[in-house]
Amino acid sequence: MYQALTDQKLIKEIPDGGILTPKGFKCGGIHAGLRYNKLDLGMIVSEAAANCAAVYTTSHFQAAPLVVTQESISSDGVLQAVVVNSACANACTGEQGYKDALRMRALAAEKLGIPETHVAVASTGVIGEFMQMEKIEAGIAKLAVGNDSEHAKDFQTAILTTDLVMKHACYSADIDGLTVSVGGAAKGSGMIHPNMATMLGFLTTDANISSADLTYALQEVTNTTFNQITVDGDTSTNDMVLVMANGAAGNEPLNRDHPEWLIFVELLKESCASLAKQIARDGEGATKLIEISVSGAMSDEEARMIGKQIAGSNLVKTAVYGADANWGRIIGAIGQSQATVNPKTVDISLGDLIMLKEGTPIAFDEEIAREYLMNDKVEIFVDLHLGEGKGMAWGCDLSYDYVKINASYRT
Amino acid sequence: MYQALTDQKLIKEIPDGGILTPKGFKCGGIHAGLRYNKLDLGMIVSEAAANCAAVYTTSHFQAAPLVVTQESISSDGVLQAVVVNSACANACTGEQGYKDALRMRALAAEKLGIPETHVAVASTGVIGEFMQMEKIEAGIAKLAVGNDSEHAKDFQTAILTTDLVMKHACYSADIDGLTVSVGGAAKGSGMIHPNMATMLGFLTTDANISSADLTYALQEVTNTTFNQITVDGDTSTNDMVLVMANGAAGNEPLNRDHPEWLIFVELLKESCASLAKQIARDGEGATKLIEISVSGAMSDEEARMIGKQIAGSNLVKTAVYGADANWGRIIGAIGQSQATVNPKTVDISLGDLIMLKEGTPIAFDEEIAREYLMNDKVEIFVDLHLGEGKGMAWGCDLSYDYVKINASYRT
């Protein structure tokens, strides 16, 4: 259905677009001194209070900024700004951490002259260290927002940790004859194995949509995008995806009865999918993006489970890194899935190369397979031949550099 | 309870013991040519038909030898021999693979002059390749068994794949005033994340015990030993743990009414725990054994779940490799567990160093922590302060060599 919409060109990608493409948003980022020499504090501001939706990590240890953001959203159901820092996650920091997140929110609200509960707070970085509040305070005072590409880049950079590249995406479409856009920025490189939200993702849209309908759309979209990527199987304490919808496009309110509802969902989905794939490709130490497509499962959910199991397998990841077409490892990953599998009906292909047909190995040219695995995107197809369920997942290979980065993260 | 038995010295470890320490067993191993220059075919033979128990991988893709072994055991409930090869897993090999496993069983039975259904078959190695049956046939014909330490070493070596060291264990105790021993040999280095059995483990005992009671004991023991180790989160198609009990010790039949039942269970448990830890320590690329002890959980099962989640975390594993006391990664792993956790009551220690007390970070000396993490065994303690549940898990660090080994396994 959604694919059909893209095929019909009802929605289009804005190649250099991001959080400032939708009308009525500004942003910025500065070096507050939390990190040695990288921008580390950013802010997105909407011209008007915006309806909003968010999903959060399922970790038992939700960091303080997530608690504060939930309090903000549950207060009036609108947000006008989000303030984000990298370097320090403000997680497992107890009462002091909660107070620090509240203070960060208050400082941003004061600067902008808006209610505290209209500000969301997000943090990413090392767990268990306290925020350097004097730097945050000075940083927020100094932070300037604007709506040009330099400000967008500053924000996109300020939220990164071990990421190598900025992640941004934007799609737009005509709704009620008006241009509606969804843009986003994200960070995430390690501790990536979403189980709800995954990392930090911030989306803006000028669509006119209620918080309830936006929440419905975001949850649906998150399950097939951010929740389907994995870098290392670990779920962070700080994962959050947040959308602000300020209504500046002037369309009729979007909801499931609106004739163009699916176009909006697709805008959101394509933006989230693009950011999700950018995160997987930039996984710590990654040299390749791995895309898994599963079909013939008993349900879409089971197809997604199997896809993620394959994407998360260290043995599959190292084989792809080494360009070794060892499909037995894909079998290992599918084999332990909770999903229904009949070993006698499984097909596996690597790109165009069939490796297993109805559970029986098919001879293939190792050299061609090796060459295929040298590409910077590797596609794995699995057909279970059991039902109509299908789904996708994304991951990356596991390299020496993953070990290098993670054996010395704090030092 | 069990710990108390060991403390009272009711059971004792036999340092150089193994599968030949219990009375009435022989074994051997040879180079059948499946691998370039390592022993690759082995056999254990009991003097008399032995009662038996086994647990198998939960993978959807159970390899052919496991199917054949289950057929053997379900036939008469006794085994007199097990024949094992390394190099080729005989998994995902369809009808041909099943016939090859049957033929391997028949060749062993013929050589020993015993019924085919008294022979178990096990294989380990690359998935999706067919057995070289002419080499298996010649190998079985040539294979000689004996009951001295050279034969034990040959068997222990023949079952290894990427393992660096042989794994064997033995414990004995007095039962009915007679010496009863349980000995074992195991292999397992990669694709180790048990969900039932884990790897190949072969145990022998001269205890007099029915197959039903042995099965009961093995299942109980497997859940707290082999199922609590993880090397890379992947479950193999060929995992199997098999015990043969030939009754040569002459004790009264062991069952839950026997006054020394718990002593026998403890013998089995200590042998399995020793083998499990040897497997974790010899994980692919491992430089350290990581032992996790969880207490204060709502149940023993939840404690084991959390322990295994920590042992399986790539981020914890790389931090231990890099001797970085980044306990936030332990939080990351606990956080995503399905078990009940209250973030405000969690304590975490690394050896004697307290890192987190009731959810609040405790300052510690980084240099002392770093030194502790340089040991070849690292202990992590977690207390949830919620209930009486406790459990342990074992894993290893994640090093450059893990990537090296697995980026080129087949080449």
Side-chain angles (χ1 to χ4, degrees):
Chain A
M1 176 79 201
Y2 295 148
Q3 190 57 46
L5 295 175
T6 324
D7 292 347
Q8 290 165 42
K9 311 228 181 293
L10 290 179
I11 78 162
K12 71 172 182 212
E13 185 176 5
I14 312 295
D16 294 323
I19 48 174
L20 295 186
T21 309
K23 290 185 279 290
F25 290 96
K26 291 180 179 174
C27 72
I30 58 156
H31 178 238
L34 305 171
R35 291 178 62 122
Y36 182 59
N37 63 2
K38 196 189 75 58
L39 302 196
D40 49 21
L41 184 71
M43 198 184 274
I44 307 175
V45 184
S46 172
E47 280 175 9
N51 290 329
C52 56
V55 286
Y56 308 93
T57 182
T58 53
S59 172
H60 294 294
F61 298 88
Q62 277 197 355
L66 278 73
V67 175
V68 169
T69 294
Q70 286 167 82
E71 288 173 6
S72 283
I73 292 180
S74 67
S75 176
D76 299 324
V78 296
L79 289 177
Q80 193 160 353
V82 52
V83 57
V84 195
N85 72 281
S86 55
C88 176
N90 193 10
C92 293
T93 43
E95 198 54 34
Q96 184 60 46
Y98 176 64
K99 283 183 190 158
D100 290 344
L102 284 177
R103 174 95 182 115
M104 194 166 153
R105 181 175 78 165
L107 289 165
E110 197 179 336
K111 180 189 174 90
L112 300 170
I114 59 176
E116 291 183 14
T117 54
H118 291 192
V119 178
V121 184
S123 301
T124 179
V126 177
I127 295 171
E129 292 184 358
F130 291 109
M131 297 283 278
Q132 300 181 54
M133 287 308 295
E134 67 297 347
K135 291 183 180 173
I136 295 286
E137 183 162 353
I140 289 176
K142 220 167 49 179
L143 211 169
V145 295
N147 64 359
D148 53 63
S149 64
E150 283 310 305
H151 282 90
K153 278 181 193 162
D154 287 350
F155 177 83
Q156 287 160 13
T157 305
I159 63 176
L160 305 182
T161 54
T162 53
D163 306 59
L164 298 180
V165 297
M166 295 183 296
K167 293 154 189 85
H168 60 95
C170 186
Y171 286 80
S172 71
D174 281 356
I175 292 181
D176 297 335
L178 300 159
T179 300
V180 170
S181 304
V182 173
K187 70 85 34 179
S189 191
M191 216 181 254
I192 296 287
H193 184 77
N195 200 344
M196 164 126 295
T198 291
M199 13 54 60
L200 296 182
F202 304 102
L203 293 118
T204 57
T205 176
D206 43 20
N208 178 12
I209 180 171
S210 73
S211 293
D213 290 313
L214 190 58
T215 300
Y216 176 87
L218 180 64
Q219 284 171 348
E220 179 175 326
V221 159
T222 302
N223 282 336
T224 59
T225 57
F226 292 120
N227 282 356
Q228 284 304 104
I229 58 174
T230 179
V231 168
D232 51 22
D234 279 309
T235 302
S236 146
T237 50
N238 288 57
D239 301 339
M240 182 194 308
V241 175
L242 182 76
V243 196
M244 289 192 282
N246 66 8
N251 57 286
E252 292 297 310
L254 280 158
N255 55 50
R256 277 158 277 171
D257 297 327
H258 190 293
E260 288 161 319
W261 167 251
L262 288 178
I263 293 180
F264 175 75
V265 173
E266 177 69 2
L267 284 180
L268 191 61
K269 177 166 181 268
E270 286 297 330
S271 295
C272 290
S274 172
L275 293 172
K277 280 187 262 189
Q278 290 175 57
I279 290 171
R281 187 185 284 277
D282 193 28
E284 287 175 340
T287 71
K288 296 165 195 169
L289 174 68
I290 306 177
E291 179 172 284
I292 294 114
S293 303
V294 178
S295 59
M298 294 299 278
S299 67
D300 289 354
E301 197 189 346
E302 292 202 351
R304 291 198 300 266
M305 278 168 61
I306 288 173
K308 208 161 148 185
Q309 195 94 40
I310 296 169
S313 159
N314 277 357
L315 288 171
V316 171
K317 289 154 69 76
T318 44
V320 171
Y321 174 63
D324 180 11
N326 191 343
W327 57 266
R329 296 182 175 176
I330 300 171
I331 286 291
I334 301 172
Q336 69 179 305
S337 167
Q338 307 279 315
T340 306
V341 174
N342 178 349
K344 293 183 177 162
T345 62
V346 179
D347 297 350
I348 296 177
S349 301
L350 201 61
D352 292 336
L353 287 172
I354 301 171
M355 311 252 139
L356 194 75
K357 185 84 187 162
E358 293 176 358
T360 301
I362 303 292
F364 62 91
D365 186 318
E366 288 275 357
E367 216 24 68
I368 293 176
R370 187 166 185 83
E371 261 170 48
Y372 177 72
L373 286 167
M374 306 291 261
N375 290 316
D376 72 349
K377 180 178 175 185
V378 168
E379 291 180 83
I380 295 171
F381 297 93
V382 174
D383 191 339
L384 300 176
H385 293 292
L386 293 177
E388 298 298 311
K390 55 188 175 180
M392 299 182 76
W394 298 271
C396 59
D397 55 343
L398 174 57
S399 70
Y400 294 105
D401 280 351
Y402 177 84
V403 178
K404 186 172 176 184
I405 292 163
N406 284 299
S408 58
Y409 177 59
R410 299 185 314 157
T411 48
Chain B
M1 176 80 201
Y2 295 148
Q3 189 57 44
L5 294 174
T6 323
D7 292 347
Q8 290 166 42
K9 311 232 180 291
L10 289 179
I11 79 162
K12 71 172 181 210
E13 185 175 4
I14 312 295
D16 294 323
I19 49 173
L20 295 187
T21 310
K23 290 184 279 291
F25 291 95
K26 292 180 179 175
C27 72
I30 58 156
H31 178 237
L34 305 170
R35 291 177 61 121
Y36 183 59
N37 64 1
K38 196 189 75 60
L39 302 197
D40 48 22
L41 184 71
M43 199 185 272
I44 307 175
V45 185
S46 172
E47 279 175 9
N51 290 329
C52 57
V55 287
Y56 308 93
T57 182
T58 53
S59 172
H60 295 294
F61 298 88
Q62 276 198 354
L66 279 72
V67 175
V68 169
T69 294
Q70 284 166 84
E71 288 173 6
S72 283
I73 292 181
S74 66
S75 176
D76 299 323
V78 296
L79 289 176
Q80 192 159 355
V82 52
V83 57
V84 194
N85 71 281
S86 54
C88 175
N90 194 10
C92 293
T93 43
E95 198 54 34
Q96 184 60 45
Y98 176 65
K99 284 183 189 156
D100 289 345
L102 283 177
R103 174 96 182 112
M104 193 167 155
R105 181 176 78 165
L107 288 165
E110 197 179 335
K111 180 189 174 89
L112 300 171
I114 60 176
E116 292 183 15
T117 54
H118 290 192
V119 178
V121 184
S123 300
T124 179
V126 177
I127 294 172
E129 292 183 359
F130 291 108
M131 296 282 278
Q132 301 180 53
M133 287 308 295
E134 66 297 347
K135 291 183 179 172
I136 295 286
E137 183 162 353
I140 290 176
K142 220 167 48 179
L143 210 169
V145 295
N147 65 358
D148 53 62
S149 65
E150 282 310 305
H151 282 90
K153 279 181 193 163
D154 287 350
F155 177 83
Q156 288 161 12
T157 305
I159 63 176
L160 304 181
T161 55
T162 52
D163 307 59
L164 298 179
V165 298
M166 296 184 295
K167 292 152 190 88
H168 59 95
C170 186
Y171 287 80
S172 70
D174 280 357
I175 292 182
D176 296 334
L178 300 158
T179 300
V180 171
S181 304
V182 174
K187 69 85 34 179
S189 191
M191 217 181 252
I192 296 287
H193 184 79
N195 200 344
M196 165 125 293
T198 291
M199 12 55 59
L200 296 182
F202 304 102
L203 293 118
T204 57
T205 176
D206 44 20
N208 178 13
I209 179 171
S210 73
S211 293
D213 290 313
L214 190 58
T215 299
Y216 176 87
L218 180 63
Q219 284 171 349
E220 179 176 327
V221 159
T222 301
N223 282 337
T224 59
T225 57
F226 292 121
N227 282 356
Q228 284 303 104
I229 58 173
T230 179
V231 168
D232 51 22
D234 278 310
T235 301
S236 146
T237 50
N238 289 56
D239 300 339
M240 183 195 308
V241 175
L242 183 76
V243 196
M244 289 192 283
N246 66 8
N251 58 285
E252 291 297 309
L254 279 159
N255 55 50
R256 277 158 276 171
D257 297 327
H258 190 292
E260 286 161 319
W261 167 251
L262 288 179
I263 293 181
F264 174 75
V265 173
E266 178 68 2
L267 283 180
L268 190 62
K269 178 167 181 266
E270 287 297 331
S271 294
C272 291
S274 172
L275 293 172
K277 280 186 261 190
Q278 290 175 57
I279 289 171
R281 186 185 285 277
D282 193 27
E284 287 175 340
T287 71
K288 296 164 194 170
L289 173 69
I290 307 176
E291 179 172 284
I292 295 113
S293 304
V294 178
S295 59
M298 294 299 278
S299 68
D300 288 354
E301 197 189 346
E302 293 202 351
R304 291 198 299 266
M305 277 168 61
I306 288 174
K308 207 161 149 186
Q309 194 93 41
I310 297 169
S313 159
N314 277 357
L315 289 171
V316 171
K317 289 154 67 76
T318 44
V320 170
Y321 174 63
D324 179 11
N326 191 344
W327 56 267
R329 297 182 175 176
I330 300 171
I331 285 291
I334 301 171
Q336 68 179 306
S337 168
Q338 306 280 314
T340 307
V341 174
N342 178 349
K344 294 184 176 161
T345 62
V346 179
D347 297 350
I348 296 177
S349 301
L350 200 62
D352 292 335
L353 287 172
I354 300 170
M355 311 250 139
L356 193 75
K357 185 85 187 159
E358 293 176 358
T360 301
I362 302 292
F364 61 92
D365 186 317
E366 288 275 358
E367 215 25 67
I368 293 175
R370 188 167 184 82
E371 260 169 49
Y372 177 72
L373 285 166
M374 307 291 262
N375 290 317
D376 71 349
K377 180 179 175 185
V378 168
E379 291 180 84
I380 296 171
F381 298 92
V382 174
D383 191 339
L384 300 176
H385 292 293
L386 293 178
E388 297 298 311
K390 55 187 177 181
M392 298 182 76
W394 297 272
C396 59
D397 55 343
L398 173 57
S399 70
Y400 295 105
D401 280 352
Y402 177 84
V403 179
K404 186 174 177 184
I405 292 162
N406 283 299
S408 57
Y409 177 59
R410 299 185 315 156
T411 48

